[in-house]
Amino acid sequence: MAVKAQSNSDVFQRVWELYAAGRGAEILEHLDPEVEWRPALVEPAPYHGHEGVRTWAAAAGRAWKSVTVVLEELREVDGCVVASGRVAAFDHAGEQVVDTVLACVAEFRGGRIVRAGSFVSDDDALAWVSARPALP
């Protein structure tokens, strides 16, 4: 019996769950080795490849002691997975430094995320989906 391949939405939801559980190293299994990663929070910039994601994750670890992410909606739009939720983060002194909407977009190739970005509004995420260049 053949094993059913995971949908892009399933893979994205797994990445979200791993991030929420603080299991960042396992996220890399679901990312293309040449992934383009564009976070909206903590040193927003383009990061490339697994090493770039590790660099961003280390910066997040230095900035935040704890993070809570809640997934509220997940849908596919124009070949991308778009997720909406909330994120709250506390610094190492225990002060809440983030409490905002978080919208994430991911594009896939071969069952792995090849390009991902996060935004502080659903509208910004959807605008990125519409304006993004084609994958090479």
Side-chain angles (χ1 to χ4, degrees), residues 87-99:
V87 61
F90 293 82
D91 66 15
H92 292 276
E95 296 290 323
Q96 186 170 18
V97 292
V98 175
D99 182 12

Side-chain angles (χ1 to χ4, degrees), residues 19-133:
Y19 181 76
R23 295 166 54 192
E26 292 175 61
I27 290 171
L28 297 177
E29 297 171 18
H30 303 284
L31 305 181
D32 184 270
E34 301 301 318
V35 67
E36 178 184 317
W37 188 266
R38 293 179 175 270
L41 305 171
V42 181
E43 298 191 22
Y47 295 86
H48 298 280
H50 288 183
E51 193 56 39
V53 174
R54 284 187 195 98
T55 298
W56 171 80
R62 287 189 300 275
W64 298 338
K65 180 178 182 180
S66 68
V67 180
T68 301
V69 292
V70 177
L71 178 62
E72 296 171 352
E73 182 181 11
L74 186 70
R75 62 197 188 275
E76 295 203 28
V77 177
D78 193 21
C80 295
V81 173
V82 179
S84 302
R86 289 203 65 84
V87 61
F90 293 82
D91 66 15
H92 292 276
E95 296 290 323
Q96 186 170 18
V97 292
V98 175
D99 182 12
T100 187
V101 168
L102 185 67
C104 299
V105 177
E107 280 186 280
F108 292 79
R109 182 176 23 219
R112 291 181 183 218
I113 297 172
V114 68
R115 185 161 47 193
S118 63
F119 306 87
V120 292
S121 83
D122 237 19
D123 289 343
D124 289 346
L126 294 172
W128 183 87
V129 168
S130 295
R132 76 191 190 282

